[in-house]
Amino acid sequence: MTTAPLRVAVVGAGGIARGIHLPALAGMPGEVEIVAVVDVEGDRARDVAAEFAAPLAYTDVDAMLSATRPDLVVVATPPGAHKDATVAALRAGAWVWCEKPPTLSLADYDEIAAEEGANGPYASYVFQHRFGSAARRLRRHVEEGTLGAVRVAQCHTLWHRDDAYFEVPWRAKWATEGGGPTMGHGIHQMDLALSILGDWTEVTAMMGTLARRTETEDVSAAIVRLESGAMCVLTNSLLSPRETSQLRFDFDDATVEVEHLYGYDNSHWRWTPAPHVGDAEPAGWLPDADEASSHAAQLRVLVDAFRRGVRPPASGDDGRRSLEFIAGMYKSAIEGRPVRRDELTRDDPYYGAMHGGDPDAAARAFAKEPARV
Ligand SMILES: NC(=O)c1ccc[n+]([C@@H]2O[C@H](COP(=O)([O-])OP(=O)(O)OC[C@H]3O[C@@H](n4cnc5c(N)ncnc54)[C@H](O)[C@@H]3O)[C@@H](O)[C@H]2O)c1
């Protein structure tokens, strides 16, 4: 097991890289070393590299890869550029930690997965809300069966984004973000929900472009049947003035809920025992440690997996689950019917593009008075 600091390069030096990734990396001295920053805007690459004491700045990913041979590449570009940077890094032998949404389509996701080696390098994706201590503890309860079966769930991402937010050219366009709040915002909560609930079998969704001038939806809603038989309702909205992110799981023995906005710690979670269980909160429901959901929490898990040479969480099939679910949501909303998970085969139109190959059909289905394809 290697103990030397991981040599990390960051590709894309915009909001999330500068505000979150680079501070998280800088917060792990001895564990990681920032060796380069890449951005197509040269001045930005240089300024951000200087700010975080990275010795090298590049405008080109391939030039960076051949010159610095990093262990890990953090991809924090807009979504449309995720695939090329990730494939280039894997081919250069580096592990990847790429921002959400992983890719614009399932086809792109699988193309990347085919570049991984049997024992690495691996491509993993940023789903930081899976990694707070309370969510990790809840997954263990599910594995150990201590709460009984989960029967009913809710998953809501109710956020607010005004018109100015969509002036950033890559946002809410099929070609550059791959979708609207379902792909770009609710994906976090849905990923966390599915990490607790397991695989889905059928989804019925409705989407609308109700209030923003976006190519994609600005709100989506769905009902979902899980393999376990449980049912879940969910919404993803960018039109909700009182912003909140909510998850609720009704197990046989307790209701477990979290309400937060852009991140939680243990205090955001609530446990309500079923009447037959009694009032007492079971010891050990919440972990002793209180680690907030954050990029730093996921990064620590990723660095540990790298050192042990094992596949990290949120990679491979485990990183693909929420993207596949979202493809099912788009298909259901555009075609106006329930969609089964096993429909999303390689020859399905929604495997190749979230809009199923026909953005006009999506626009018609998402209109206030929708026409179905
Ligand atoms: N996990 C989260 O909570 C979270 C939050 C916000 C954004 N994000 C994701 O992070 C990613 C970046 O978002 P952002 O808000 O920082 O965007 P941004 O527009 O602020 O920054 C993106 C940067 O990438 C650069 N860039 C574009 N194409 C490039 C390429 N081919 N090679 C190198 N650099 C390139 C741009 O010049 C820009 O500096 C997106 O995928 C977004 O969905 C995740």
Side-chain angles (χ1 to χ4, degrees):
M1 190 168 94
T2 169
T3 53
L6 264 68
R7 303 176 63 261
V8 185
V10 175
V11 178
I16 196 77
R18 189 161 173 265
I20 304 285
H21 281 284
L22 285 155
L25 291 164
M28 291 178 68
E31 287 287 325
V32 302
E33 179 189 347
I34 305 165
V35 294
V37 172
V38 184
D39 199 288
V40 285
E41 304 284 340
D43 287 348
R44 190 172 304 160
R46 276 187 295 280
D47 290 352
V48 173
E51 186 180 341
F52 289 91
L56 296 162
Y58 294 85
T59 53
D60 181 73
V61 177
D62 291 322
M64 177 280 289
L65 289 168
S66 53
T68 65
R69 294 272 151 207
D71 296 313
L72 172 68
V73 174
V74 173
V75 176
T77 65
H82 287 179
K83 184 180 88 172
D84 287 353
T86 300
V87 167
L90 290 171
R91 285 185 183 168
W95 286 36
V96 176
W97 191 32
C98 174
E99 266 298 349
K100 62 78 199 168
T103 50
L104 301 182
S105 68
L106 290 169
D108 284 356
Y109 190 98
D110 291 348
E111 210 180 306
I112 290 173
E115 298 286 341
E116 294 183 326
N119 300 305
Y122 300 112
S124 62
Y125 299 93
V126 177
F127 287 119
Q128 73 267 24
H129 295 303
R130 269 202 231 172
F131 293 88
S133 47
R136 295 208 303 264
R137 180 76 188 99
L138 180 57
R139 273 196 298 276
R140 227 174 67 228
H141 278 294
V142 171
E143 280 159 26
E144 293 169 358
T146 45
L147 303 171
V150 64
R151 305 291 181 187
V152 182
Q154 298 179 1
C155 173
H156 302 300
T157 299
L158 303 172
W159 293 359
H160 193 264
R161 298 291 183 271
D162 60 15
D163 287 329
Y165 174 84
F166 295 101
E167 282 164 18
V168 172
W170 59 264
R171 287 187 176 144
K173 295 196 176 75
W174 294 112
T176 46
E177 194 168 18
T182 319
M183 271 293 258
H185 305 78
I187 192 169
H188 283 299
Q189 297 278 115
M190 294 190 290
D191 177 79
L192 173 54
L194 290 172
S195 81
I196 307 287
L197 295 168
D199 282 325
W200 61 284
T201 54
E202 184 181 320
V203 61
T204 302
M206 193 178 279
M207 299 194 185
T209 309
L210 303 185
R212 302 287 179 263
R213 288 185 297 277
T214 56
E215 218 179 86
T216 64
E217 84 285 2
D218 54 20
V219 63
S220 66
I223 49 178
V224 191
R225 193 187 299 277
L226 282 303
E227 253 175 26
S228 67
M231 291 194 240
C232 178
V233 299
L234 59 89
T235 43
N236 301 296
S237 158
L238 295 180
L239 309 177
S240 303
R242 187 180 82 76
E243 295 190 294
T244 183
S245 311
Q246 297 169 330
L247 285 169
R248 171 175 168 140
F249 303 97
D250 292 315
F251 294 88
D252 286 334
D253 292 347
T255 291
V256 179
E257 297 164 86
V258 60
E259 179 164 9
H260 66 111
L261 184 49
Y262 301 135
Y264 61 78
D265 59 28
N266 289 0
S267 70
H268 293 91
W269 290 74
R270 188 151 68 121
W271 160 290
T272 309
H276 66 268
V277 172
D279 290 340
E281 190 165 286
W285 139 235
L286 278 170
D288 295 336
D290 187 357
E291 186 170 28
S293 65
S294 66
H295 284 68
Q298 184 174 357
L299 178 62
R300 266 190 294 282
V301 173
L302 174 60
V303 169
D304 177 65
F306 181 92
R307 294 204 185 290
R308 292 188 294 118
V310 299
R311 176 177 278 288
S315 70
D317 290 347
D318 185 46
R320 189 180 189 272
R321 190 183 287 122
S322 46
L323 195 68
E324 183 192 54
F325 176 66
I326 289 167
M329 278 186 70
Y330 279 114
K331 179 168 177 149
S332 173
I334 295 169
E335 298 192 352
R337 63 177 182 86
V339 165
R340 289 186 327 277
R341 181 171 169 227
D342 59 17
E343 291 178 44
L344 295 169
T345 53
R346 284 175 178 256
D347 52 3
D348 189 275
Y350 294 82
Y351 177 84
M354 288 290 159
H355 53 49
D358 187 352
D360 294 337
R364 285 195 300 276
F366 299 172
K368 281 184 195 154
E369 290 182 23
R372 295 291 174 209
V373 291

